[in-house]
Amino acid sequence: MNEWQPDILVVGIPLNMDGTISEMSRRARKFANRIQDRFQLPCFLMDERLSTNEAKEIHYSKGGSNNFKKESVDGLAAQIIFDGWLNSSQRIPSHTRLEDLYGLGNS
């Protein structure tokens, strides 16, 4: 936070493939609320479905291996999530109830 000094925060929400919320979605929202409160910065939620798959495809296309412990794609996935947020007209504040936006999953 000190190095980058962001003006906003964006947290990926791991929705189920059918667009419903899961326990992990709730945990991610709770994390988003915590960092918003801790750093006193606006925090927004962004659907992160398939961001890791897209990051892996980009990684492979550049000759990367499938050893993701050695060659993590997490940073690239984060960039994909943030780019998606920048290109989206939807801004979901972190304190928004997920149940008001998405259906309930089976988990």
Side-chain angles (χ1 to χ4, degrees), residues 23-71:
E23 181 57 32
M24 287 304 296
S25 304
R26 289 180 183 94
R27 288 181 185 188
R29 180 185 169 272
K30 187 175 182 179
F31 170 74
N33 289 335
R34 276 197 211 139
I35 62 172
Q36 176 176 308
D37 294 345
R38 178 176 178 186
F39 296 108
Q40 296 298 297
L41 291 171
C43 187
F44 297 93
L45 308 176
M46 182 65 193
D47 180 357
E48 70 170 33
R49 281 178 291 176
L50 300 177
S51 60
T52 299
N53 286 348
E54 185 177 345
K56 286 179 180 179
E57 289 301 318
I58 293 168
H59 175 75
Y60 291 139
S61 74
K62 294 181 177 183
S65 75
N66 62 354
N67 182 350
F68 298 112
K69 289 188 185 233
K70 184 178 178 185
E71 300 175 11

Side-chain angles (χ1 to χ4, degrees), residues 82-100:
F82 187 66
D83 287 346
W85 182 85
L86 286 174
N87 293 318
S88 173
S89 60
Q90 188 176 37
R91 298 290 183 257
I92 304 169
S94 67
H95 286 285
T96 303
R97 281 176 28 95
L98 296 177
E99 294 81 359
D100 293 341

